[in-house]
Amino acid sequence: MNTILEKIQKPLVHNVNVEKQLRAFPIYMFNQCVPGHAPKSKNRPQWAGLYTKHVQPGLEINITHEGRAIYAVGKDLIAHMPRHLIMLSGDVPHQIFADSSLNYTRTVICFEHHFLKQIPFVSDLDWFAGKTHISMPLDPDTYIRMNQLIHRILEEFSELKTGWKQMVLSLLSEFMVFLERGFEAHRKNQQVLKRSKGHQLVEECCNYLRENLHEPISLSKMSELFYVSPEHLTRLFSRVKGMSFYQYVQMQRIMESVKIMESRPDLSITDVALSVGYVDSSHFIRVFKKIMGQTPSEYRKNIARTKAAGQ
């Protein structure tokens, strides 16, 4: 059975700023810090979308320095903590949700794929071929070295001294070598992890969830379906996905509702809520606003304005 996710046309909202920056120079890099605020609950993250879902040219690298975030890339939700790196293909719809109860700091590097061919001794990213994204924790030594290179690249962009373009090429070349080494080590660790029964169980649970978001889903029901205790399943989800079972279900439902609203403007908010498993539309609206920073109706109006502006 195809999931609702597979049936819905993906939106193509272009990140105009990145396109403009990459036309001026094939590398665009910046640091971003989003101040947090006091949480309503000390034990529950307050997820807020930093940007609307978008696409852009080239490749994008994000390194989280502080706080917590969830990256929605295509169908996948990837939890990020400090010292985590994600590289993604810009033509895949993606969005970032940060825990607004904490300060969130990251470095973003965008560049044209073909630009790497101009950098001596850098591979043509064969190890990324066929992937929409890779995500991995960085060991402390690699993280420190990458940060040093980022600081020097940003310094070159800021000062624009003689030969700054050549220096940026050289520094980015070194950065990409560390990235490829880190990915090789991460891939070996993942191969060991994927052979574990716990990882396989969580992936089977996630597949079931994506197929049945419109149905009532609880931790106890999932535990019964997969013959495991709720406590054990909770621990496995936290270890493999980096978030709790309920956080994963909630994020999947809200991301699915966004896709439905973008493709089916004729559906009422109540119908959208029901299609992703919320019997109580008021509860759906509260959760949607907490994660997206606006109500479903406000989000739908913004979609209409964006489409009208593009015509």
Side-chain angles (χ1 to χ4, degrees):
M1 179 188 297
N2 291 330
T3 63
I4 297 175
L5 198 63
E6 293 169 334
K7 297 177 182 177
I8 295 175
Q9 184 178 2
K10 296 179 180 179
L12 290 176
V13 179
H14 290 271
N15 189 326
V16 178
N17 181 52
V18 170
E19 290 181 349
K20 179 181 177 181
Q21 295 291 341
L22 291 181
R23 280 197 298 269
F25 189 74
I27 303 173
Y28 175 44
M29 180 186 295
F30 62 92
N31 288 324
Q32 181 183 32
C33 180
V34 181
H37 56 75
K40 294 180 181 178
S41 170
K42 293 183 179 180
N43 299 320
R44 297 183 63 184
Q46 304 292 312
W47 300 111
L50 298 187
Y51 301 99
T52 57
K53 186 163 44 180
H54 59 279
V55 294
Q56 64 202 42
L59 299 172
E60 178 179 326
I61 295 173
N62 285 265
I63 300 178
T64 296
H65 303 295
E66 181 184 17
R68 293 180 292 196
I70 292 177
Y71 284 74
V73 184
K75 300 178 183 179
D76 297 327
L77 297 176
I78 306 107
H80 259 225
M81 303 294 180
R83 285 198 294 110
H84 275 65
L85 176 148
I86 184 170
M87 184 167 82
L88 57 91
S89 179
D91 60 0
V92 178
H94 54 281
Q95 187 172 9
I96 308 163
F97 298 87
D99 180 358
S100 60
S101 67
L102 303 170
N103 292 336
Y104 179 65
T105 306
R106 64 171 180 154
T107 295
V108 183
I109 308 170
C110 302
F111 55 91
E112 293 283 7
H113 191 174
H114 64 79
F115 178 65
L116 292 179
K117 296 179 181 178
Q118 303 177 33
I119 305 177
F121 313 117
V122 172
S123 70
D124 57 1
L125 296 183
D126 287 341
W127 48 274
F128 190 70
K131 298 179 177 64
T132 59
H133 66 276
I134 59 169
S135 178
M136 59 187 177
L138 299 171
D139 66 74
D141 183 61
T142 300
Y143 174 73
I144 290 171
R145 288 172 179 266
M146 282 185 162
N147 261 341
Q148 291 171 341
L149 291 168
I150 287 169
H151 175 75
R152 292 178 63 189
I153 292 173
L154 288 172
E155 197 173 62
E156 291 293 335
F157 275 123
S158 174
E159 297 178 355
L160 299 179
K161 292 180 179 179
T162 302
W164 70 270
K165 292 182 180 180
Q166 288 78 6
M167 285 297 296
V168 168
L169 285 173
S170 175
L171 293 168
L172 186 62
S173 172
E174 190 174 349
F175 181 92
M176 295 304 293
V177 170
F178 279 114
L179 175 59
E180 187 168 1
R181 287 179 180 177
F183 176 70
E184 288 175 354
H186 174 69
R187 182 173 55 188
K188 291 177 182 178
N189 292 335
Q190 286 297 103
Q191 288 172 348
V192 174
L193 178 62
K194 286 183 178 179
R195 287 195 290 267
S196 71
K197 292 183 179 179
H199 187 280
Q200 294 174 8
L201 176 63
V202 170
E203 290 305 317
E204 289 174 8
C205 288
C206 291
N207 290 336
Y208 177 87
L209 290 171
R210 286 191 288 266
E211 294 276 354
N212 298 278
L213 285 175
H214 59 287
E215 297 181 357
I217 296 173
S218 67
L219 180 61
S220 59
K221 178 181 178 179
M222 293 296 291
S223 300
E224 291 175 3
L225 283 173
F226 291 93
Y227 304 101
V228 63
S229 72
E231 295 78 14
H232 186 54
L233 186 58
T234 298
R235 288 193 296 270
L236 288 176
F237 249 89
S238 180
R239 189 180 74 194
V240 175
K241 291 297 182 182
M243 65 185 88
S244 73
F245 171 82
Y246 285 111
Q247 287 172 351
Y248 185 85
V249 173
Q250 194 176 73
M251 290 295 295
Q252 285 285 2
R253 281 179 163 160
I254 296 305
M255 295 309 298
E256 178 76 353
S257 73
V258 166
K259 293 178 182 293
I260 292 173
M261 284 192 290
E262 289 170 346
S263 65
R264 293 291 306 277
D266 57 305
L267 289 182
S268 68
I269 299 301
T270 299
D271 288 336
V272 173
L274 288 171
S275 68
V276 294
Y278 286 97
V279 178
D280 183 355
S281 60
S282 61
H283 181 214
F284 165 69
I285 292 170
R286 287 196 300 272
V287 175
F288 190 98
K289 185 174 182 179
K290 182 178 73 173
I291 292 176
M292 301 297 293
Q294 54 191 316
T295 67
S297 297
E298 290 169 341
Y299 185 85
R300 178 168 273 173
K301 289 178 182 177
N302 288 334
I303 294 173
R305 280 196 292 267
T306 301
K307 289 182 178 179
Q311 292 177 350

